Amino acid sequence: MFRSQITVVCTANLCRSPYMEARLREQLRSVTSAPLAVGSAGTRARAGEGMASETLGLLTERGVPVAGEFQARQLTTAIVADSDLLLTASREQRAQVLEISPLALRRAFTLREFAALLCGVRLAPESIASGEWLALATAYALSRRTANAQLVNSPSADIDDPYGRGEEAFERMASEVDASIALILENLVSAAK
């Protein structure tokens, strides 16, 4: 059984909004019981700050349990090294991950980029159950990255930071995150059938 570590990387403001982290954890647990750790860290995090009230509201509306008290943490080389997959909200954040650790290139994607690159993935059902799917899906996405440079470098790969922009911006961010996660799961579930 593989133990996987996914780290969602965000800016200082998005770190107070761990929506990607919470939704990804919840949704992945619905398709696999393999050990999986999902956490978040920020490129400019104000370590120790709590969750934004807008995010807490979005997660509560969607029935996502928010266990314990969330505290933002700063992205470090150790967190990058320990992560099997690093998902960012934007290309700028992905670039910041690579400034910290250039070797993370093979494991760092924006969430929207990763979801799009997984379209058509064909994994063996046993890889979903064992937890090996993360390494295989990451390798598959990486193998398609060069051929899809337009997608990788497009502003459409970004999810805008909603912090300070009102409730509508938080709803838009949540919709974009949910759609990307749904696309990832759709490919994993269809691959497992």
Side-chain angles (χ1 to χ4, degrees):
M1 186 81 59
F2 294 82
R3 173 153 175 81
S4 302
Q5 171 68 43
I6 299 174
T7 300
V8 174
V9 180
C10 48
T11 62
N13 290 335
L14 267 174
C15 270
R16 292 200 54 231
S17 178
Y19 186 84
M20 274 175 53
E21 171 193 350
R23 287 295 278 177
L24 190 60
R25 180 185 306 109
E26 174 206 31
Q27 296 295 309
L28 286 172
R29 286 184 180 158
S30 73
V31 297
T32 181
S33 60
L36 176 69
V38 180
S40 62
T43 56
R44 294 184 308 272
R46 292 181 210 113
E49 284 200 5
M51 185 183 305
S53 60
E54 297 91 341
T55 302
L56 183 57
L58 287 169
L59 293 171
T60 302
E61 281 175 21
R62 287 158 175 78
V64 178
V66 183
E69 191 172 314
F70 170 81
Q71 289 191 344
R73 64 183 180 152
Q74 181 68 32
L75 184 67
T76 64
T77 54
I79 292 171
V80 172
D82 289 343
S83 300
D84 298 301
L85 175 63
L86 296 129
L87 294 173
T88 68
S90 71
R91 293 166 295 142
E92 178 185 355
Q93 292 158 14
R94 183 182 62 208
Q96 291 169 338
V97 168
L98 299 179
E99 285 177 19
I100 291 171
S101 178
L103 295 176
L105 178 63
R106 302 174 69 83
R107 300 173 284 124
F109 301 86
T110 72
L111 178 66
R112 293 178 100 177
E113 167 195 8
F114 190 69
L117 291 173
L118 284 186
C119 285
V121 67
R122 295 293 171 250
L123 302 177
E126 57 272 12
S127 74
I128 307 297
S130 72
E132 186 183 15
W133 68 269
L134 184 59
L136 295 171
T138 302
Y140 182 85
L142 180 63
S143 73
R144 297 189 68 208
R145 182 183 262 166
T146 303
N148 291 279
Q150 185 176 354
L151 162 74
V152 172
N153 297 316
S154 169
S156 67
D158 296 339
I159 295 172
D160 289 332
D161 186 345
Y163 198 74
R165 296 184 182 162
E167 189 175 320
E168 191 175 300
F170 273 88
E171 287 289 345
R172 186 172 42 257
M173 175 273 302
S175 294
E176 291 172 357
V177 167
D178 289 346
S180 295
I181 293 171
L183 187 56
I184 291 168
L185 295 183
E186 178 183 309
N187 283 288
L188 292 179
V189 170
S190 66
K193 290 182 180 177

